[in-house]
């Protein structure tokens, strides 16, 4: 495959792909504006922070997959990719420990005012009296907003410091998540409003979605305790920065941030932010996932995604329909021979039935297979009889 890396990516991992016969182009200086002209005939694009716009996607005649070397995919126009049948994949959970470690660092920095200590010492000032004032972490309450891999990892680390951890109860959590939460332990509350009202520290670990945009805004901040601390190491869009600035002044909140609205897309540049420059805010430069350990784990997962795709398997795709679509499901067991599926498709075409989704699995030994087709309409008896009468058909079943 022809692969373009439009962001930094470890050389040893690029060499693995080249040795496997892939054509690898590496251009980490590319910006989102450069991509439409730079893609050329690339079949697979790997990015970290570089934005992938609709214009880029529509200009790519050969592109089949975009891999985000990280968890969040908000910098990629997933809808545009879906319209053109281009997979968007990510590497969830691979940077969880790194982000959780940074969140813990911000938490401790807020408690002990570490950045101010350092700044005063560098200016020749000694002020042990002021900086000896600290509440400590043990026994204080922490609210986790977003109990995914990062939220869980941060909860585990904060609990090790003696904090009492709370989060919002939610139906449908998997057994592994519930087991980790119980081990912390995480105490469940009914809703985010209750969470905001009762904790000393509120930490956000959610993706950027329409539902989370401005989640930390006027209504939620009105509920937090005076003197509470806010942490955000997820996405800048989660915080309404004007609302947070107002709450800082009104309630003397203290804040630790790694992400911001309208932050620069490039690694270096100028950045003016009233929030980041506020004396009650300790900020870092969106570096949560940027440890060597995290980047190595992400790179390994990117290789696994590419190798799987080369073998016809798609891993960690975020822009496929999450559940089966169609009015009915047609299950056709058939002999594994040339023309078996084309006969099925011809019958359905003649009946005016569209295939929404389709999967074909081969049985051990290779003699037979089963095709599962989610179709736009329930086949009538005539159509089912026509499918059953095909030479390669073993059995036909209509479900739903």
């Amino acid at each position: 495959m022809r692969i373009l890396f439009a962001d930094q990516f470890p050389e040893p991992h690029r060499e693995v792909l080249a040795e496997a016969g892939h054509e690898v182009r590496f251009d980490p200086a590319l910006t989102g504006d450069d991509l439409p002209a730079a893609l050329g005939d690339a079949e697979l694009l790997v990015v970290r922070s570089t934005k992938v716009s609709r214009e880029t996607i529509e200009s790519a005649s050969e592109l089949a997959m975009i891999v985000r070397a990280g968890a969040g995919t908000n910098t990629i126009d997933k809808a545009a990719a879906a319209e053109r049948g281009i997979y968007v994949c990510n590497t969830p959970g691979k940077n969880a420990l790194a982000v959780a470690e940074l969140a813990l660092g911000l938490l401790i920095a807020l408690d002990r005012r570490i950045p101010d200590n350092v700044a005063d010492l560098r200016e020749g000032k000694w002020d042990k009296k002021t900086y000896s004032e600290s509440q400590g972490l043990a026994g204080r309450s922490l609210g986790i907003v977003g109990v995914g891999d990062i939220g869980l990892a941060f909860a585990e680390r904060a609990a090790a410091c003696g904090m009492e951890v709370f989060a919002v109860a939610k139906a449908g959590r998997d057994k592994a998540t519930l087991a980790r939460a119980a081990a912390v332990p995480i105490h469940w509350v009914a809703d985010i409003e209750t969470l905001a009202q009762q904790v000393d520290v509120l930490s956000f670990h959610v993706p950027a979605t329409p539902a989370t945009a401005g989640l930390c805004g006027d209504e939620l901040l009105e509920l937090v305790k005076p003197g509470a601390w806010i942490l955000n190491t997820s996405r800048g869009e989660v915080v309404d920065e004007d609302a947070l600035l107002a709450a800082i002044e009104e309630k003397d909140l203290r804040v630790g941030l790694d992400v911001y609205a309208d932050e620069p897309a490039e690694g270096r540049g100028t950045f003016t932010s009233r929030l980041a420059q506020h004396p009650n805010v300790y900020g870092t430069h969106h570096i949560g996932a940027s440890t060597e350990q995290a980047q190595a784990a992400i790179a390994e997962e990117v290789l696994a995604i590419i190798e799987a795709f080369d073998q016809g398997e798609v891993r960690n795709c975020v822009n496929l329909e999450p559940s089966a679509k169609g009015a009915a499901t047609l299950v056709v067991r058939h002999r594994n021979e040339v023309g078996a599926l084309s006969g099925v498709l011809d019958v359905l075409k003649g009946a005016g039935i569209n295939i929404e989704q389709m999967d074909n699995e081969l049985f051990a030994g290779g003699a037979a297979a089963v095709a599962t087709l989610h179709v736009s309409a329930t086949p009538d008896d005539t159509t089912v009889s026509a499918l059953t009468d095909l030479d390669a058909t073993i059995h036909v079943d209509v479900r739903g």
Side-chain angles (χ1 to χ4, degrees):
M1 288 186 295
R2 297 179 295 276
I3 306 169
L4 171 62
F5 288 89
D7 274 298
Q8 291 292 342
F9 197 80
E11 183 177 3
H13 295 81
R14 301 198 312 269
E15 290 176 351
V16 168
L17 293 171
E19 290 169 1
H22 300 293
E23 180 185 314
V24 177
R25 283 194 290 138
F26 177 59
D27 195 344
L30 290 172
T31 67
D33 292 337
D34 299 329
L35 275 181
L39 267 173
D41 62 353
E43 299 167 280
L44 199 148
L45 171 65
V46 180
V47 294
R48 287 182 60 192
S49 57
T50 301
K51 292 185 177 180
V52 185
S53 65
R54 176 174 288 273
E55 179 189 1
T56 295
I57 290 165
E58 291 179 348
S59 72
S61 60
E62 302 296 321
L63 191 62
M65 176 179 282
I66 302 165
V67 180
R68 160 76 165 97
T73 55
N74 57 303
T75 55
I76 301 170
D77 193 325
K78 295 183 286 294
E83 289 168 13
R84 294 179 65 86
I86 296 171
Y87 298 107
V88 177
C89 303
N90 65 349
T91 60
K94 299 303 178 182
N95 60 7
L97 298 185
V99 180
E101 289 168 358
L102 180 66
L104 183 64
L106 288 170
L107 181 64
I108 295 172
L110 285 173
D111 184 52
R112 306 309 295 266
R113 297 179 61 184
I114 293 173
D116 297 333
N117 274 263
V118 172
D120 276 357
L121 281 174
R122 286 179 175 172
E123 292 181 4
K125 298 178 183 177
W126 180 260
D127 194 355
K128 180 177 180 179
K129 182 177 180 180
T130 296
Y131 294 127
S132 292
E133 298 175 3
S134 170
Q135 298 181 57
L137 300 183
R140 302 190 72 197
S141 56
L142 167 66
I144 301 287
V145 182
V147 188
D149 290 318
I150 296 171
L152 279 170
F154 180 48
E156 291 163 346
R157 283 151 180 76
C161 294
M163 298 191 78
E164 192 172 9
V165 184
F166 298 83
V168 176
K170 179 182 176 183
R173 296 192 193 278
D174 61 77
K175 290 182 179 179
T177 296
L178 291 174
R180 285 182 68 184
V184 170
I186 292 178
H187 307 287
W188 302 107
V189 301
D191 49 51
I192 192 172
E193 290 79 15
T194 303
L195 187 70
Q197 287 175 314
Q198 74 178 53
V199 297
D200 301 312
V201 182
L202 194 60
S203 188
F204 291 86
H205 304 278
V206 293
T209 69
T212 62
L215 179 61
C216 183
D218 285 321
E219 293 183 6
L220 196 66
L221 291 167
E222 187 176 332
L223 301 174
V224 301
K225 298 177 181 180
W229 299 352
I230 305 292
L231 300 177
N232 184 23
T233 53
S234 57
R235 286 291 181 265
E237 295 89 338
V238 171
V239 170
D240 180 333
E241 294 194 348
D242 290 335
L244 183 53
L245 278 165
I248 289 171
E249 297 295 334
E250 293 168 10
K251 295 190 169 186
D252 192 31
L253 305 183
R254 303 197 67 202
V255 177
L257 300 174
D258 186 46
V259 289
Y260 315 87
D262 302 319
E263 64 186 47
E266 289 74 34
R268 285 194 174 97
T270 57
F271 180 51
T272 302
S273 164
R274 289 193 303 135
L275 184 60
Q277 293 166 339
H278 194 285
N280 280 32
V281 176
Y282 290 160
T284 49
H285 302 233
H286 200 155
I287 57 169
S290 301
T291 66
E292 290 185 9
Q293 292 172 335
Q295 293 310 306
I298 288 170
E300 290 291 337
E301 183 65 11
V302 170
L303 290 194
I305 290 169
I306 293 173
E307 290 166 1
F309 186 54
D310 199 34
Q311 299 299 316
E313 177 190 349
V314 178
R315 297 177 53 163
N316 303 343
C317 185
V318 301
N319 66 333
L320 287 172
E321 282 290 347
S323 57
K325 298 293 181 182
T329 300
L330 185 63
V331 181
V332 181
R333 283 187 282 125
H334 60 90
R335 289 193 294 276
N336 181 34
E337 58 186 47
V338 175
L341 286 177
S342 65
V344 171
L345 301 183
D346 284 341
V347 170
L348 293 176
K349 180 180 178 181
I353 296 175
N354 186 46
I355 298 169
E356 305 288 348
Q357 292 169 297
M358 177 176 173
D359 186 36
N360 192 58
E361 295 179 306
L362 190 64
F363 286 97
V370 58
T372 304
L373 304 96
H374 303 287
V375 293
S376 61
T378 303
D380 58 21
D381 291 343
T382 301
T383 303
V384 172
S385 294
L387 292 168
T388 303
D389 290 343
L390 293 171
D391 290 341
T393 296
I394 298 171
H395 185 267
V396 177
D397 188 17
V398 180
R399 302 173 185 170

